[in-house]
Amino acid sequence: MISVSEAQEILSKFSNKGPIERVSFENCLNRLLAENIYADRDAPPFDRVAMDGIAIQSDQLQIRQQFIIEDIQAAGQEQKSLNKPENCLEVMTGAVLPVHTDCVIPYEKLTIKNGVARLNSTDHKAFQNTHKKGIDAKKGDQLLVSGTWIHPGVKGVLATTGHTEIKVMQVPKIMICSTGDELVPITHNPLPHQIRRSNVYMLQAALKDLNIEAHTTHLPDDKNQLNASIGKLLEEYDLLMFSGAVSKGKYDFLPTVLKELGIQIHIHGVKQKPGKPFLFGTIGSKSVFGFPGNPSSTLVCFHLYFKWWYNHYLGIAPNNNYAYLNNEVTFKKPLTNHLLIKSSVEDGKILANPVANSGSGDLVHLALADGFLSLPAEKDTFKKGEIFPITFFHQTGL
């Protein structure tokens, strides 16, 4: 077996940056931008009114406190002009600032009666409540850099720059395969010796959290059927995920079948708990992840290894988060212990509270955890207040 860090180093070597594709503006949310975005015009493109009220010449503030309303400048109208300096124009948020005006006074600080606006205060100055042309960006300025996650704010920038199609990193086509004759569909009433399929749906949800839509299937504990089925799946999918059949049981045929299909296995066995039998292999541009069948092992290995691989596939650096252990823990070395935890925040610190469970097959208590701490293999006692790497089960940024 190899260490966790050695496994991640191997994954980095076999995770070349993925291809780029074009998607429509409607389908770009939560994708990784693969091009730089530049301003096609000044932002804002004109001197813009920032509040509803009146627009005046600021030098008139020293002379008068009331202004006759000449007209209204609405948003979307062509720019109007103030004809007389002692007058004003009513203006709406988003409108072009009228010619011969440089100060907007909001309605809240006015009294308007019989077409005359009277100021209720004197604390006004030039260019207040105006949004100057080009102050945010000039035409040609870089607004977004390649490698940016497209969240709602980013999508707003893409919209205002007129991008109807966007270059993004292509998402791999993934099939999730459960194995084991003891598994039945979730719609079935299992017999005493059977359980419902759960790991594939857990993995499917974890992928969806990364904005990856994946398919699922079930394969029997039959070597010949595995060989035929996996061969066909490799033709159609970029990446296969397996839950189960990677250990040393008599019906754990997956490692043998993968080798027979020409897949080079780079990792099979990591010094960790849970998830010792974790497997990773490649054939050409295709990748195979084999997660142990126990639920905790599956979920921990997904976040520890697939997400590591996927970050490199996208060409971005993984986030490194740390938390304070909130209870003393002992664990037999020399294995890395991925300790299930429930996190909390106190005085700006992330605290990791261990979740009691009966082992890696305990799905019930796995649902109570929101991540895990990776406790190093060199120690067997971990004290309250010590800091360790934390991995969250939910997407908090790659």
Side-chain angles (χ1 to χ4, degrees):
M1 292 190 293
I2 60 176
S3 69
V4 171
S5 59
E6 288 172 328
Q8 290 180 328
E9 185 177 348
I10 291 170
L11 287 163
S12 301
K13 294 178 180 177
F14 290 95
S15 179
N16 297 322
K17 192 172 181 180
I20 293 171
E21 64 178 345
R22 285 186 176 272
V23 298
S24 67
F25 173 78
E26 290 77 13
N27 295 318
C28 71
L29 189 63
N30 295 324
R31 299 293 297 272
L32 190 73
L33 187 64
E35 60 177 319
N36 297 326
I37 301 297
Y38 299 90
D40 65 329
R41 60 200 300 219
D42 289 349
F46 48 80
D47 288 342
R48 177 180 172 273
V49 175
M51 295 190 75
D52 298 328
I54 63 169
I56 64 169
Q57 287 186 11
S58 59
D59 57 11
Q60 294 295 306
L61 291 169
Q62 300 174 8
I63 305 172
R64 66 191 80 253
Q65 291 295 299
Q66 63 181 31
F67 300 84
I68 297 172
I69 299 172
E70 283 187 1
D71 201 350
I72 298 176
Q73 174 81 68
Q77 289 182 336
E78 290 187 9
Q79 188 180 35
K80 296 182 178 182
S81 296
L82 182 66
N83 295 319
K84 297 181 178 180
E86 65 268 23
N87 294 346
C88 69
L89 287 171
E90 283 191 78
V91 290
M92 304 299 120
T93 302
V96 180
L97 186 68
V99 177
H100 305 313
T101 68
D102 63 356
C103 174
V104 174
I105 300 171
Y107 283 132
E108 302 93 278
K109 297 187 177 183
L110 299 170
T111 298
I112 296 179
K113 187 176 181 180
N114 298 326
V116 176
R118 178 180 295 276
L119 307 188
N120 296 332
S121 61
T122 58
D123 56 338
H124 304 293
K125 58 185 178 180
F127 303 111
Q128 70 174 27
N129 303 316
T130 64
H131 196 181
K132 296 292 290 179
K133 177 183 178 181
I135 195 170
D136 297 336
K138 298 291 186 183
K139 181 179 178 180
D141 284 353
Q142 183 172 316
L143 304 181
L144 298 171
V145 64
S146 179
T148 300
W149 281 107
I150 303 177
H151 56 68
V154 170
K155 193 166 182 179
V157 173
L158 295 171
T160 199
T161 52
H163 283 79
T164 57
E165 283 193 338
I166 299 99
K167 290 181 181 179
V168 296
M169 295 302 302
Q170 191 175 101
V171 175
K173 190 176 180 182
I174 298 177
M175 173 63 82
I176 308 167
C177 310
S178 58
T179 61
D181 292 342
E182 76 278 14
L183 300 178
V184 297
I186 60 174
T187 54
H188 285 204
N189 290 319
L191 297 172
H193 58 281
Q194 296 175 323
I195 57 174
R196 294 186 181 93
R197 296 169 66 195
S198 59
N199 285 359
V200 289
Y201 301 113
M202 185 169 62
L203 288 170
Q204 190 177 42
L207 285 166
K208 193 167 186 176
D209 204 29
L210 301 176
N211 202 44
I212 302 173
E213 298 288 344
H215 298 125
T216 67
T217 191
H218 181 73
L219 303 177
D221 286 332
D222 180 279
K223 188 171 179 289
N224 292 329
Q225 287 190 50
L226 280 173
N227 198 305
S229 298
I230 294 172
K232 291 179 181 178
L233 291 173
L234 283 169
E235 294 176 3
E236 185 176 354
Y237 290 89
D238 303 312
L239 187 147
L240 302 183
M241 280 186 183
F242 292 90
S243 176
V246 294
S247 193
K248 296 183 178 180
K250 290 188 176 181
Y251 293 92
D252 290 334
F253 299 122
L254 187 60
T256 300
V257 169
L258 294 178
K259 289 177 181 177
E260 289 177 356
L261 289 168
I263 294 168
Q264 185 178 0
I265 296 177
H266 309 292
I267 302 170
H268 191 195
V270 181
K271 298 175 184 176
Q272 63 181 7
K273 186 176 181 180
K276 280 191 286 186
F278 169 69
L279 178 149
F280 170 75
T282 60
I283 179 170
S285 62
K286 314 275 184 166
S287 297
V288 175
F289 284 79
F291 303 129
N294 282 328
S296 290
S297 300
T298 291
L299 196 57
V300 165
C301 287
F302 171 87
H303 285 277
L304 203 59
Y305 300 119
F306 171 76
K307 284 182 70 174
W308 178 273
W309 177 93
Y310 190 52
N311 276 318
H312 286 82
Y313 175 90
L314 294 175
I316 60 175
N319 285 341
N320 295 314
N321 296 305
Y322 296 86
Y324 293 82
L325 183 62
N326 210 25
N327 297 89
E328 183 171 308
V329 172
T330 58
F331 182 77
K332 186 177 180 180
K333 56 184 181 183
L335 299 176
T336 298
N337 179 19
H338 304 301
L339 178 70
L340 295 179
I341 58 93
K342 179 72 174 177
S343 66
S344 60
V345 178
E346 187 175 305
D347 296 329
K349 298 178 180 179
I350 300 175
L351 303 182
N353 305 284
V355 172
N357 64 89
S358 62
S360 60
D362 185 346
L363 180 57
V364 173
H365 289 88
L366 176 61
L368 302 179
D370 61 2
F372 58 91
L373 282 191
S374 292
L375 306 181
E378 299 78 30
K379 298 173 60 175
D380 53 17
T381 300
F382 307 92
K383 296 180 179 179
K384 179 179 178 178
E386 290 188 291
I387 303 175
F388 300 102
I390 186 172
T391 303
F392 291 102
F393 287 147
H394 307 291
Q395 177 70 348
T396 55
L398 282 168

